[in-house]
């Protein structure tokens, strides 16, 4: 995978905060404001290594984005961390392939640990596939 984290949130302040926190932890970060932009990047020649996906966005919800990611042979392998104030959607999100679920408001230390763990698991899985 290409080595950047894609932050998907319609709120500029949230995108800016997550971008800053992740960048200060030495991650390469891109941010987008919509599900359509997320899908475009996830299905491109330079897909992200990880997607941080907000649930509540206009036009297309995070769950809708997840469903569409799962239908693409390349994008379905990108780990996704769902971020939402709606804790009742966690089970549905996991059934659609979400690796981790973070509730808003977020603890930024938990966010960073979750990102680190998710990327480590993805790297391990990728190396297992390469050997197998």
């Amino acid at each position: 995978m290409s080595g950047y984290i894609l932050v998907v949130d319609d709120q500029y302040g949230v995108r800016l905060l997550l971008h800053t926190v992740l960048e200060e932890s030495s991650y390469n970060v891109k941010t987008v404001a919509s599900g359509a932009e997320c899908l475009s990047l996830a299905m491109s020649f330079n897909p992200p290594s990880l997607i941080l996906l907000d649930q509540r966005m206009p036009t297309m919800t995070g769950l809708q984005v997840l469903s569409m990611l799962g239908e693409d042979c390349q994008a379905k392998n990108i780990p996704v961390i769902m971020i939402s104030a709606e804790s009742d959607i966690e089970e549905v999100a996991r059934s659609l392939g979400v690796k981790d679920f973070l509730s808003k408001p977020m603890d930024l230390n938990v966010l960073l640990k979750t990102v680190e763990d998710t990327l480590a698991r993805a790297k391990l899985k990728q190396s297992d596939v390469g050997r197998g």
Side-chain angles (χ1 to χ4, degrees):
M1 286 188 226
S2 60
Y4 72 92
I5 296 172
L6 181 61
V7 174
V8 186
D9 198 301
D10 62 310
Q11 295 180 7
Y12 175 75
V14 173
R15 287 194 314 274
L16 181 60
L17 172 66
L18 293 177
H19 185 277
T20 302
V21 167
L22 291 166
E23 206 169 59
E24 286 176 355
S25 294
S26 302
Y27 292 107
N28 292 321
V29 185
K30 290 185 182 181
T31 64
V32 295
S34 72
E37 291 172 293
C38 171
L39 292 170
S40 178
L41 285 173
M43 297 174 188
S44 73
F45 288 111
N46 185 26
S49 297
L50 173 68
I51 298 172
L52 295 178
L53 180 63
D54 183 40
Q55 161 57 12
R56 191 174 292 180
M57 297 182 290
T59 312
M60 189 182 305
T61 67
L63 291 176
Q64 290 170 320
V65 172
L66 271 176
S67 180
M68 295 173 92
L69 287 170
E71 294 171 8
D72 183 81
C73 62
Q74 172 183 296
K76 71 180 179 184
N77 295 316
I78 302 168
V80 177
I81 299 172
M82 176 73 80
I83 299 171
S84 180
E86 303 171 40
S87 59
D88 60 331
I89 65 159
E90 182 173 359
E91 191 174 316
V92 174
R94 288 193 185 276
S95 75
L96 291 171
V98 158
K99 299 302 178 202
D100 282 293
F101 189 94
L102 297 174
S103 295
K104 287 182 178 177
M106 284 178 290
D107 177 320
L108 295 178
N109 291 318
V110 172
L111 168 76
L112 290 171
K113 178 71 173 136
T114 303
V115 165
E116 180 183 328
D117 291 349
T118 303
L119 286 171
R121 282 193 310 268
K123 189 173 186 176
L124 189 62
K125 182 179 176 185
Q126 196 174 36
S127 68
D128 287 347
V129 169
R131 280 185 259 160

